[in-house]
Amino acid sequence: MRKRYLMGVMSLVLAGMLLCGCAGKDEEREERNRDRQETESTSGREETGHGELPQEGAAGKETPEGAEENTVKVSFEGQDMEGNTVSSDIFPNSRLTMINVWATYCNPCLREMPELAQLTAEYTSEDFQLIGIISDVQEGADQSAMETAAQLIEQTGADYPHLLLNESIYYGMLTDVMAVPTTFFVDSEGNILDTVVGAMDKSAWKEKIDELLEELEN
């Protein structure tokens, strides 16, 4: 009973934080995305739906040259939409894992998911894999919530694994997540290499993925 209560409170707190950070301005997002591509900016200013991140040092900001990076290792165990157990043991399967945190109410999340699915077909599984985390649907959710998530996954063609929120995933990855979508890139040992807050188009994601794969070769 206590665990169920904790999960309920945790879910409400996370949903409240992410709802405040979810994007909603289509034209602003598209304009900023075009500007970033045209100038090939390397400033690290990834967007949420309300524009640029307000604070320095937040996820998605690049680490200044010469500064030390704090390596964070991801460890979790959860269930996908089909009830299969998925854990951080999957990381050694690929050199690079992309973890996309999204929500069923988040329009920018849903807009980018078809192109995220396309990315999975452009890399070998040895190099790249992608998983989604549904931040507002937890394990044991009612049938209506599960059906809504399943329909959105089908509509967007996002046919990669999607994990349901639980205590392990929340404390293992999401305690510092303040907006959706938020995306983590993790190496084969579970170390977080980069974090992006906000949605991007396929070309921008591909550039990021190729850059990280190249770094892993060095």
Side-chain angles (χ1 to χ4, degrees):
M1 179 67 69
R2 181 177 180 276
K3 184 175 182 181
R4 182 180 296 273
Y5 174 77
L6 175 63
M7 279 298 297
V9 172
M10 180 181 69
S11 182
L12 287 172
V13 171
L14 180 62
M17 290 191 302
L18 299 184
L19 182 60
C20 294
C22 182
K25 298 180 181 179
D26 294 353
E27 293 181 0
E28 180 180 348
R29 173 184 176 273
E30 291 173 1
E31 181 178 353
R32 289 178 180 274
N33 200 30
R34 285 196 300 269
D35 290 344
R36 181 172 60 246
Q37 288 187 21
E38 290 169 2
T39 59
E40 298 183 358
S41 171
T42 57
S43 65
R45 296 182 302 163
E46 310 301 349
E47 67 189 79
T48 66
H50 300 296
E52 300 169 14
L53 296 177
Q55 68 271 20
E56 292 297 327
K61 298 286 186 179
E62 293 187 357
T63 303
E65 186 175 355
E68 293 185 2
E69 295 185 14
N70 295 322
T71 302
V72 179
K73 183 164 288 190
V74 172
S75 179
F76 72 91
E77 182 174 305
Q79 290 185 354
D80 64 16
M81 291 288 292
E82 287 71 43
N84 302 310
T85 297
V86 180
S87 74
S88 43
D89 290 342
I90 67 170
F91 293 145
N93 295 342
S94 298
R95 294 169 56 213
L96 183 67
T97 300
M98 181 178 183
I99 304 173
N100 179 251
V101 185
W102 63 283
T104 59
Y105 56 78
C106 174
N107 289 328
C109 300
L110 301 175
R111 283 198 301 269
E112 72 174 352
M113 282 165 61
E115 293 189 334
L116 293 182
Q118 293 172 19
L119 285 170
T120 62
E122 298 185 9
Y123 296 89
T124 64
S125 59
E126 290 79 10
D127 281 336
F128 176 77
Q129 63 182 341
L130 169 62
I131 61 175
I133 296 177
I134 314 173
S135 62
D136 63 328
V137 181
Q138 68 181 49
E139 289 182 12
D142 60 46
Q143 190 63 27
S144 175
M146 293 290 290
E147 288 177 356
T148 295
Q151 289 172 0
L152 293 172
I153 291 169
E154 182 178 2
Q155 289 169 6
T156 58
D159 56 351
Y160 44 87
H162 295 268
L163 308 186
L164 302 169
L165 178 68
N166 68 7
E167 191 171 346
S168 174
I169 289 174
Y170 177 78
Y171 287 112
M173 283 185 281
L174 306 187
T175 54
D176 293 328
V177 172
M178 300 298 291
V180 285
T182 289
T183 302
F184 303 100
F185 288 95
V186 181
D187 68 13
S188 61
E189 296 180 352
N191 300 305
I192 294 180
L193 304 175
D194 201 356
T195 304
V196 175
V197 178
M200 298 199 299
D201 66 15
K202 181 181 175 182
S203 62
W205 282 126
K206 185 171 176 58
E207 181 179 349
K208 173 67 70 177
I209 292 166
D210 291 343
E211 174 186 322
L212 291 172
L213 287 172
E214 184 176 352
E215 290 178 1
L216 288 172
E217 291 180 355
N218 300 329

